[in-house]
Amino acid sequence: MAKKTQRMDLQRQHNWYVAHRLSLEFEEIMYDPFWRVEDVRSSGIKTKIAHFSTPGRVMHLLSQNELWMYLDLAQNSDIVETYEQFAIPLDFSLPIAKELGVKHPVYIGSQNVPIIQTIDFVSIRDDGTRVAHPVKQESDALRERTMEKLAIQEAYCELEYIDYQLTTSTELRTVKSESLEAMYRHRNVNPFLKSAFEVWLSNFLGCLSDDRHDRASNILERSALISGVEYQQAASFFYCALWNDRLQMDWKKRLKLELPASDLGIHEHVLVA
C-alpha cells in the first residue's frame, strides 16, 4: 500500500522510519526502502527491478538516472550491497540544516512537518566502507534549493564516515548504461548450466581467435553449434560473460552483434597479478 502524505504528522513518518531502520539492522528482515515506487508521484520513469544478489528483493528506482546508477553499482565487483532511498534520521538532518543556515524541507500542506531526507543510494564496498551516490539531473544539481538539500546529505555522510559522490545525468547517460540495461537479466547463469557456460566460453574464445574481424553474431553462431546449445542461449552466455568480466569489450561502442567483434573490442578478460 502506498504511503499517504496528506495531513502528515510526525508519528506516522516516525513509524515509516522505524520499519526502514529495522530492515537495515536485522538481516532476517528484507530491506525496506524509505520510499517505494508506488509512494511517489512522478511523470518520469519509475522502475522496479530485481536486486543483483538477494533473491526476492526488489529495488525501487524513481528515475531513469537512478536505474542507470543502480546498474553501474550492480556491475561493480567492489560493491557487495546497495540500499536505495536510504533515510537520514531527523535527529541528524534538522541540526545540520540549522547549522548550515538552510530551511529543512517540509511536507506541503502540513503544519511544517519536516520531511525525512533520503539519499538515492548508499552502498557497501567489499572492504566494509560505505559510499553514497545522490543522483541528479545536471541542471537540477545547480539549483540553489537542490544544492541546499544536497548539502544536508553531504554533511550527514561526513558525520557518519560515508564517502559522498554526487553523480549527474551527464555522467550516467552513456552507451555503457544502455548496454548494462540490456545485459542485466542475463547476469546470472542457471546453476544447472554452469558447466555448459564454461564449455561455451572456451569454444567462443577459440572461434574469436580464428577471426576477430567476423561479425560477433557469426562468431556466436559458430560457438553455439560447436557447444551444442541454441543461438539464444549462446547470446545469453555472451551477455553474462561481459557482465561478469569474463569477456571484455569497448564500453563506448553500442553492443550491436552485427558489428565485427574487433570493432566492439571483444576479447578475453586477463587477470593481472
Side-chain angles (χ1 to χ4, degrees), residues 125-195:
R125 302 187 182 103
D126 58 5
D127 63 1
T129 60
R130 294 181 293 173
V131 56
H133 285 99
V135 178
K136 294 296 178 186
Q137 281 289 118
E138 184 81 40
S139 56
D140 190 35
L142 299 175
R143 294 176 181 172
E144 182 177 359
R145 186 57 179 146
T146 302
M147 292 172 68
E148 290 176 349
K149 294 176 183 178
L150 289 173
I152 294 173
Q153 296 185 24
E154 185 172 8
Y156 169 77
C157 289
E158 184 175 351
L159 290 171
E160 289 293 285
Y161 303 99
I162 303 172
D163 292 338
Y164 177 89
Q165 297 180 11
L166 173 63
T167 307
T168 67
S169 55
T170 301
E171 299 169 82
L172 293 169
R173 194 179 296 116
T174 64
V175 171
K176 181 178 180 179
S177 294
E178 296 175 9
S179 296
L180 290 178
E181 190 171 354
M183 290 177 194
Y184 188 70
R185 67 188 183 92
H186 302 282
R187 69 193 182 282
N188 296 323
V189 173
N190 186 306
F192 298 106
L193 294 176
K194 285 186 176 180
S195 295

Coordinates of all heavy atoms in Angstrom, one line a residue, residues 125-195:
R125 N 31.1 -1.3 0.2 CA 32.2 -1.9 -0.6 C 32.6 -3.2 0.0 O 32.3 -3.5 1.2 CB 33.3 -0.9 -0.7 CG 33.0 0.4 -1.4 CD 34.2 1.2 -1.6 NE 34.0 2.5 -2.1 CZ 34.1 3.7 -1.4 NH1 34.3 3.6 -0.1 NH2 33.9 4.8 -2.0
D126 N 33.4 -4.0 -0.7 CA 33.9 -5.3 -0.2 C 34.9 -5.1 0.9 O 35.1 -6.1 1.7 CB 34.5 -6.1 -1.3 CG 35.7 -5.4 -2.0 OD1 36.1 -4.3 -1.6 OD2 36.2 -6.0 -3.0
D127 N 35.4 -3.9 1.2 CA 36.3 -3.7 2.3 C 35.5 -3.1 3.5 O 36.1 -2.8 4.5 CB 37.4 -2.7 2.0 CG 36.9 -1.3 1.6 OD1 35.7 -1.1 1.6 OD2 37.8 -0.5 1.2
G128 N 34.2 -3.1 3.4 CA 33.3 -2.7 4.5 C 33.0 -1.2 4.6 O 32.2 -0.7 5.4
T129 N 33.7 -0.4 3.8 CA 33.4 1.1 3.7 C 32.2 1.3 3.0 O 31.7 0.5 2.2 CB 34.6 1.9 3.1 OG1 34.8 1.4 1.7 CG2 35.9 1.6 3.8
R130 N 31.6 2.5 3.2 CA 30.3 2.9 2.6 C 30.5 4.1 1.7 O 31.3 4.9 1.9 CB 29.2 3.2 3.7 CG 28.8 2.0 4.5 CD 27.8 2.4 5.5 NE 28.3 3.3 6.6 CZ 27.5 3.9 7.5 NH1 26.2 3.7 7.5 NH2 28.1 4.7 8.4
V131 N 29.7 4.1 0.7 CA 29.7 5.2 -0.3 C 28.3 5.6 -0.7 O 27.4 4.8 -0.9 CB 30.5 4.9 -1.6 CG1 29.9 3.6 -2.2 CG2 30.5 6.1 -2.5
A132 N 28.0 6.9 -0.7 CA 26.7 7.5 -1.0 C 26.7 8.0 -2.4 O 27.7 8.7 -2.8 CB 26.3 8.6 0.0
H133 N 25.7 7.8 -3.2 CA 25.5 8.3 -4.5 C 24.2 9.0 -4.7 O 23.2 8.4 -5.1 CB 25.6 7.2 -5.6 CG 27.0 6.7 -5.8 ND1 27.5 5.6 -5.2 CD2 28.0 7.2 -6.5 CE1 28.7 5.4 -5.6 NE2 29.1 6.3 -6.4
P134 N 24.1 10.3 -4.4 CA 22.9 11.1 -4.8 C 23.0 11.2 -6.3 O 24.0 11.4 -6.9 CB 23.1 12.5 -4.1 CG 24.2 12.2 -3.1 CD 25.1 11.1 -3.6
V135 N 21.8 11.1 -6.9 CA 21.7 11.2 -8.4 C 20.8 12.3 -8.8 O 19.7 12.4 -8.3 CB 21.2 9.8 -8.9 CG1 21.0 9.9 -10.4 CG2 22.1 8.7 -8.5
K136 N 21.3 13.2 -9.6 CA 20.6 14.4 -10.0 C 20.8 14.7 -11.5 O 21.8 14.4 -12.1 CB 21.0 15.6 -9.2 CG 20.7 15.6 -7.8 CD 19.2 15.5 -7.5 CE 18.9 15.4 -6.0 NZ 17.5 15.2 -5.8
Q137 N 19.7 15.3 -12.1 CA 19.9 15.9 -13.4 C 20.9 17.0 -13.3 O 21.0 17.7 -12.3 CB 18.6 16.5 -13.9 CG 17.6 15.5 -14.4 CD 18.0 14.9 -15.8 OE1 18.2 13.7 -15.9 NE2 18.1 15.8 -16.8
E138 N 21.7 17.1 -14.4 CA 22.8 18.1 -14.4 C 22.3 19.5 -14.0 O 22.8 20.3 -13.2 CB 23.5 18.2 -15.7 CG 24.7 19.1 -15.8 CD 26.0 18.5 -15.2 OE1 26.2 17.3 -15.4 OE2 26.7 19.3 -14.5
S139 N 21.2 19.9 -14.7 CA 20.6 21.2 -14.5 C 20.0 21.4 -13.1 O 20.1 22.4 -12.5 CB 19.5 21.5 -15.5 OG 18.5 20.5 -15.5
D140 N 19.4 20.3 -12.6 CA 18.8 20.4 -11.3 C 19.8 20.5 -10.2 O 19.6 21.2 -9.1 CB 17.9 19.1 -11.0 CG 17.1 19.2 -9.8 OD1 16.6 20.4 -9.5 OD2 16.9 18.2 -9.1
A141 N 21.0 19.9 -10.4 CA 22.0 19.9 -9.3 C 22.6 21.3 -9.1 O 23.2 21.6 -8.1 CB 23.2 19.0 -9.7
L142 N 22.3 22.2 -10.1 CA 22.9 23.6 -10.0 C 21.9 24.6 -9.4 O 22.2 25.7 -9.2 CB 23.3 24.1 -11.4 CG 24.4 23.3 -12.1 CD1 24.6 23.8 -13.5 CD2 25.7 23.3 -11.3
R143 N 20.6 24.1 -9.1 CA 19.6 24.9 -8.5 C 19.9 25.1 -7.0 O 20.4 24.2 -6.3 CB 18.2 24.4 -8.6 CG 17.8 24.3 -10.1 CD 16.4 23.6 -10.2 NE 16.0 23.5 -11.6 CZ 14.9 22.8 -12.0 NH1 14.2 22.2 -11.1 NH2 14.6 22.8 -13.3
E144 N 19.7 26.4 -6.5 CA 20.1 26.7 -5.2 C 19.4 25.8 -4.1 O 20.0 25.3 -3.2 CB 19.7 28.2 -4.9 CG 20.1 28.6 -3.5 CD 19.9 30.1 -3.2 OE1 19.3 30.8 -4.1 OE2 20.1 30.5 -2.1
R145 N 18.1 25.6 -4.3 CA 17.4 24.7 -3.3 C 17.9 23.3 -3.3 O 18.0 22.7 -2.3 CB 15.9 24.8 -3.6 CG 15.0 24.1 -2.6 CD 15.3 24.6 -1.2 NE 14.5 24.0 -0.1 CZ 14.9 23.8 1.1 NH1 16.1 24.2 1.5 NH2 14.1 23.2 2.0
T146 N 18.1 22.8 -4.5 CA 18.7 21.4 -4.6 C 20.1 21.4 -3.9 O 20.4 20.4 -3.2 CB 18.8 21.0 -6.1 OG1 17.5 21.0 -6.7 CG2 19.4 19.6 -6.2
M147 N 20.9 22.4 -4.2 CA 22.2 22.4 -3.5 C 22.1 22.4 -2.0 O 22.9 21.8 -1.3 CB 23.0 23.6 -4.1 CG 23.3 23.5 -5.5 SD 24.1 25.0 -6.2 CE 25.6 25.1 -5.3
E148 N 21.1 23.1 -1.5 CA 20.9 23.1 0.0 C 20.5 21.7 0.5 O 21.1 21.3 1.5 CB 19.8 24.1 0.3 CG 20.2 25.6 0.1 CD 19.0 26.5 0.4 OE1 17.9 26.1 0.6 OE2 19.3 27.8 0.4
K149 N 19.6 21.0 -0.2 CA 19.3 19.7 0.2 C 20.5 18.7 0.1 O 20.7 17.9 1.0 CB 18.1 19.2 -0.6 CG 16.8 19.9 -0.4 CD 15.7 19.4 -1.4 CE 14.5 20.2 -1.3 NZ 13.4 19.7 -2.3
L150 N 21.2 18.9 -0.9 CA 22.4 18.0 -1.1 C 23.5 18.3 0.0 O 24.2 17.4 0.4 CB 23.0 18.2 -2.5 CG 22.2 17.7 -3.6 CD1 22.8 18.0 -5.0 CD2 22.1 16.1 -3.6
A151 N 23.5 19.6 0.4 CA 24.5 19.9 1.5 C 24.1 19.2 2.8 O 25.0 18.8 3.5 CB 24.5 21.5 1.7
I152 N 22.8 19.0 3.0 CA 22.4 18.3 4.2 C 22.9 16.8 4.1 O 23.4 16.3 5.1 CB 20.9 18.4 4.4 CG1 20.4 19.8 4.7 CG2 20.4 17.4 5.5 CD1 18.9 20.0 4.7
Q153 N 22.7 16.3 2.9 CA 23.1 14.9 2.7 C 24.6 14.7 2.9 O 25.1 13.8 3.5 CB 22.7 14.4 1.3 CG 21.2 14.3 1.1 CD 20.8 13.8 -0.2 OE1 21.5 13.0 -0.8 NE2 19.6 14.1 -0.7
E154 N 25.4 15.7 2.3 CA 26.8 15.6 2.3 C 27.3 15.7 3.8 O 28.2 15.0 4.2 CB 27.5 16.6 1.4 CG 29.0 16.5 1.3 CD 29.6 17.5 0.3 OE1 28.8 18.3 -0.2 OE2 30.8 17.3 0.1
A155 N 26.7 16.6 4.5 CA 27.1 16.8 5.9 C 26.8 15.5 6.7 O 27.6 15.1 7.6 CB 26.4 18.0 6.5
Y156 N 25.7 14.9 6.5 CA 25.3 13.7 7.2 C 26.4 12.6 6.9 O 26.8 11.9 7.8 CB 23.9 13.2 6.8 CG 23.6 11.8 7.2 CD1 23.3 11.5 8.5 CD2 23.7 10.7 6.3 CE1 23.0 10.2 9.0 CE2 23.4 9.4 6.7 CZ 23.1 9.2 8.1 OH 22.8 7.9 8.5
C157 N 26.7 12.5 5.6 CA 27.7 11.4 5.2 C 29.1 11.7 5.9 O 29.7 10.7 6.3 CB 27.9 11.4 3.7 SG 26.4 10.8 2.8
E158 N 29.4 13.0 6.0 CA 30.7 13.3 6.7 C 30.7 12.8 8.1 O 31.6 12.3 8.7 CB 31.0 14.8 6.6 CG 32.3 15.2 7.1 CD 32.7 16.6 6.9 OE1 31.9 17.3 6.2 OE2 33.7 17.1 7.5
L159 N 29.5 13.1 8.8 CA 29.4 12.7 10.2 C 29.4 11.2 10.4 O 29.9 10.7 11.4 CB 28.1 13.3 10.8 CG 28.1 14.8 11.0 CD1 26.7 15.3 11.3 CD2 29.1 15.3 12.0
E160 N 28.9 10.5 9.4 CA 28.7 9.0 9.5 C 29.9 8.3 8.8 O 29.8 7.0 8.6 CB 27.4 8.6 8.9 CG 26.2 9.0 9.8 CD 26.2 8.2 11.1 OE1 25.9 7.0 11.2 OE2 26.6 8.9 12.2
Y161 N 30.9 9.0 8.4 CA 32.0 8.4 7.7 C 31.6 7.6 6.4 O 32.0 6.5 6.2 CB 32.8 7.5 8.6 CG 33.3 8.2 9.9 CD1 32.6 8.1 11.1 CD2 34.4 9.0 9.8 CE1 33.0 8.8 12.2 CE2 34.9 9.7 10.9 CZ 34.2 9.6 12.1 OH 34.6 10.3 13.3
I162 N 30.7 8.2 5.7 CA 30.3 7.6 4.4 C 30.9 8.5 3.3 O 30.7 9.7 3.3 CB 28.7 7.6 4.3 CG1 28.1 6.9 5.4 CG2 28.3 7.1 2.9 CD1 26.6 7.0 5.5
D163 N 31.6 7.9 2.3 CA 32.1 8.7 1.2 C 30.9 9.2 0.4 O 29.9 8.5 0.2 CB 32.9 7.8 0.3 CG 34.2 7.4 0.9 OD1 34.7 8.0 1.9 OD2 34.8 6.3 0.5
Y164 N 31.0 10.4 -0.1 CA 29.9 11.1 -0.8 C 30.4 11.4 -2.2 O 31.4 12.0 -2.5 CB 29.6 12.4 0.0 CG 28.6 13.3 -0.7 CD1 27.2 13.1 -0.3 CD2 28.9 14.3 -1.6 CE1 26.2 13.9 -0.9 CE2 27.9 15.1 -2.2 CZ 26.6 14.9 -1.8 OH 25.6 15.7 -2.4
Q165 N 29.6 10.9 -3.2 CA 29.9 11.0 -4.6 C 28.6 11.4 -5.4 O 27.9 10.5 -5.8 CB 30.5 9.8 -5.2 CG 31.8 9.4 -4.5 CD 32.4 8.1 -5.1 OE1 32.0 7.6 -6.1 NE2 33.4 7.6 -4.4
L166 N 28.4 12.7 -5.5 CA 27.3 13.2 -6.3 C 27.5 12.7 -7.8 O 28.6 12.9 -8.3 CB 27.2 14.7 -6.3 CG 26.1 15.4 -7.2 CD1 24.7 14.9 -6.8 CD2 26.3 16.9 -7.1
T167 N 26.5 12.1 -8.4 CA 26.5 11.7 -9.8 C 25.4 12.4 -10.6 O 24.3 12.4 -10.1 CB 26.4 10.2 -9.8 OG1 27.3 9.5 -8.9 CG2 26.6 9.7 -11.3
T168 N 25.8 12.9 -11.7 CA 24.8 13.6 -12.5 C 24.4 12.9 -13.7 O 25.0 11.9 -14.1 CB 25.3 15.0 -12.9 OG1 26.4 14.8 -13.9 CG2 25.8 15.8 -11.7
S169 N 23.3 13.3 -14.3 CA 22.8 12.7 -15.5 C 23.8 12.6 -16.7 O 23.8 11.7 -17.5 CB 21.5 13.4 -16.0 OG 21.8 14.8 -16.2
T170 N 24.6 13.6 -16.8 CA 25.6 13.7 -17.8 C 26.6 12.5 -17.7 O 27.0 11.9 -18.7 CB 26.4 15.0 -17.8 OG1 25.5 16.1 -17.9 CG2 27.5 15.1 -18.9
E171 N 27.0 12.2 -16.5 CA 27.9 11.0 -16.2 C 27.2 9.7 -16.5 O 27.8 8.7 -16.9 CB 28.4 11.1 -14.8 CG 29.1 12.3 -14.4 CD 29.4 12.4 -12.9 OE1 30.4 11.8 -12.5 OE2 28.6 13.1 -12.3
L172 N 25.9 9.6 -16.3 CA 25.1 8.4 -16.4 C 24.6 8.1 -17.8 O 24.4 6.9 -18.2 CB 24.0 8.4 -15.4 CG 24.4 8.4 -13.9 CD1 23.2 8.7 -13.1 CD2 25.0 7.1 -13.6
R173 N 24.3 9.1 -18.6 CA 23.7 9.0 -19.9 C 24.8 8.6 -20.9 O 25.2 9.4 -21.7 CB 23.0 10.2 -20.3 CG 22.0 10.0 -21.5 CD 21.3 11.3 -21.9 NE 20.4 11.8 -20.8 CZ 20.6 12.9 -20.2 NH1 21.6 13.7 -20.4 NH2 19.7 13.3 -19.2
T174 N 25.1 7.3 -20.9 CA 26.2 6.8 -21.7 C 25.8 5.5 -22.4 O 24.8 4.9 -22.1 CB 27.5 6.4 -20.8 OG1 27.1 5.4 -20.0 CG2 27.9 7.6 -20.0
V175 N 26.6 5.2 -23.4 CA 26.3 3.9 -24.2 C 26.5 2.7 -23.2 O 25.7 1.8 -23.4 CB 27.3 3.8 -25.4 CG1 27.2 2.5 -26.0 CG2 27.0 4.9 -26.4
K176 N 27.4 2.8 -22.3 CA 27.6 1.7 -21.4 C 26.3 1.5 -20.5 O 25.9 0.3 -20.3 CB 28.8 2.0 -20.4 CG 29.0 0.8 -19.4 CD 30.2 1.1 -18.5 CE 30.4 -0.1 -17.6 NZ 31.6 0.0 -16.7
S177 N 25.7 2.5 -20.1 CA 24.4 2.4 -19.4 C 23.4 1.6 -20.2 O 22.7 0.7 -19.6 CB 23.9 3.7 -18.9 OG 24.7 4.4 -18.0
E178 N 23.3 1.9 -21.4 CA 22.3 1.2 -22.3 C 22.7 -0.2 -22.4 O 21.8 -1.1 -22.4 CB 22.3 1.9 -23.7 CG 21.8 3.3 -23.7 CD 21.9 4.0 -25.0 OE1 22.2 3.3 -26.0 OE2 21.7 5.2 -25.1
S179 N 24.0 -0.5 -22.6 CA 24.4 -1.9 -22.7 C 24.1 -2.7 -21.4 O 23.7 -3.8 -21.4 CB 25.9 -2.0 -23.0 OG 26.2 -1.4 -24.3
L180 N 24.4 -2.1 -20.3 CA 24.2 -2.8 -19.0 C 22.7 -3.1 -18.8 O 22.3 -4.1 -18.3 CB 24.7 -1.9 -17.8 CG 26.2 -1.8 -17.7 CD1 26.6 -0.9 -16.5 CD2 26.9 -3.1 -17.6
E181 N 21.9 -2.1 -19.2 CA 20.4 -2.3 -19.1 C 20.0 -3.6 -19.9 O 19.1 -4.3 -19.4 CB 19.7 -1.1 -19.6 CG 18.2 -1.1 -19.3 CD 17.5 0.2 -19.6 OE1 18.2 1.2 -19.9 OE2 16.3 0.3 -19.5
A182 N 20.6 -3.7 -21.1 CA 20.2 -4.9 -21.9 C 20.8 -6.2 -21.4 O 20.2 -7.2 -21.5 CB 20.8 -4.6 -23.4
M183 N 21.9 -6.1 -20.7 CA 22.5 -7.3 -20.2 C 22.0 -7.8 -18.9 O 22.2 -9.0 -18.5 CB 24.0 -7.0 -20.0 CG 24.9 -6.9 -21.2 SD 26.6 -6.5 -20.6 CE 27.2 -5.9 -22.2
Y184 N 21.3 -6.9 -18.1 CA 21.1 -7.2 -16.7 C 20.4 -8.5 -16.4 O 20.7 -9.3 -15.5 CB 20.2 -6.0 -16.1 CG 20.1 -6.1 -14.6 CD1 21.2 -5.9 -13.8 CD2 18.9 -6.5 -14.0 CE1 21.1 -6.0 -12.4 CE2 18.8 -6.6 -12.6 CZ 19.9 -6.4 -11.8 OH 19.7 -6.5 -10.5
R185 N 19.4 -8.8 -17.2 CA 18.6 -10.1 -17.0 C 19.4 -11.3 -17.3 O 19.0 -12.4 -17.0 CB 17.3 -10.1 -17.7 CG 17.4 -10.1 -19.3 CD 16.1 -9.9 -19.9 NE 16.1 -10.1 -21.4 CZ 15.9 -11.2 -22.0 NH1 15.6 -12.3 -21.4 NH2 15.9 -11.2 -23.3
H186 N 20.6 -11.1 -18.0 CA 21.4 -12.3 -18.3 C 22.6 -12.4 -17.4 O 23.5 -13.2 -17.6 CB 22.0 -12.1 -19.7 CG 20.9 -12.0 -20.8 ND1 20.2 -13.1 -21.2 CD2 20.4 -10.9 -21.4 CE1 19.3 -12.7 -22.2 NE2 19.4 -11.4 -22.3
R187 N 22.6 -11.6 -16.2 CA 23.8 -11.5 -15.4 C 24.2 -12.8 -14.7 O 25.4 -13.0 -14.4 CB 23.7 -10.4 -14.4 CG 22.6 -10.7 -13.3 CD 22.2 -9.5 -12.5 NE 21.3 -9.8 -11.5 CZ 20.0 -9.9 -11.7 NH1 19.5 -9.9 -12.9 NH2 19.1 -10.2 -10.7
N188 N 23.2 -13.7 -14.4 CA 23.5 -14.9 -13.7 C 23.2 -16.1 -14.6 O 22.3 -16.1 -15.5 CB 22.5 -15.0 -12.5 CG 22.8 -14.0 -11.5 OD1 24.0 -13.6 -11.3 ND2 21.8 -13.4 -10.8
V189 N 24.0 -17.2 -14.4 CA 23.8 -18.4 -15.1 C 23.1 -19.4 -14.2 O 23.4 -19.5 -13.0 CB 25.2 -19.0 -15.6 CG1 25.0 -20.4 -16.2 CG2 25.9 -18.1 -16.6
N190 N 22.1 -20.0 -14.8 CA 21.4 -21.1 -14.0 C 22.4 -22.1 -13.5 O 23.3 -22.5 -14.3 CB 20.4 -21.8 -14.9 CG 19.5 -22.8 -14.2 OD1 20.0 -23.7 -13.5 ND2 18.2 -22.6 -14.3
P191 N 22.4 -22.5 -12.2 CA 23.4 -23.4 -11.7 C 23.5 -24.7 -12.5 O 24.6 -25.3 -12.6 CB 22.9 -23.7 -10.3 CG 22.1 -22.5 -9.9 CD 21.4 -22.0 -11.2
F192 N 22.4 -25.1 -13.2 CA 22.4 -26.3 -14.0 C 23.2 -26.1 -15.3 O 23.5 -27.1 -16.0 CB 21.0 -26.9 -14.2 CG 20.3 -27.3 -13.0 CD1 19.3 -26.5 -12.5 CD2 20.6 -28.4 -12.3 CE1 18.6 -26.8 -11.3 CE2 19.9 -28.8 -11.2 CZ 18.9 -28.0 -10.7
L193 N 23.4 -24.9 -15.6 CA 24.0 -24.5 -16.9 C 25.5 -24.0 -16.8 O 26.1 -23.6 -17.8 CB 23.2 -23.5 -17.7 CG 21.8 -23.9 -18.1 CD1 21.1 -22.7 -18.8 CD2 21.9 -25.1 -19.1
K194 N 26.0 -24.1 -15.6 CA 27.4 -23.5 -15.4 C 28.4 -24.3 -16.1 O 29.4 -23.7 -16.7 CB 27.7 -23.5 -13.9 CG 27.0 -22.4 -13.1 CD 27.4 -22.3 -11.7 CE 26.8 -21.1 -11.0 NZ 27.2 -20.9 -9.6
S195 N 28.3 -25.6 -16.2 CA 29.3 -26.4 -16.9 C 29.2 -26.1 -18.4 O 30.2 -25.9 -19.1 CB 29.1 -27.9 -16.7 OG 29.3 -28.2 -15.3

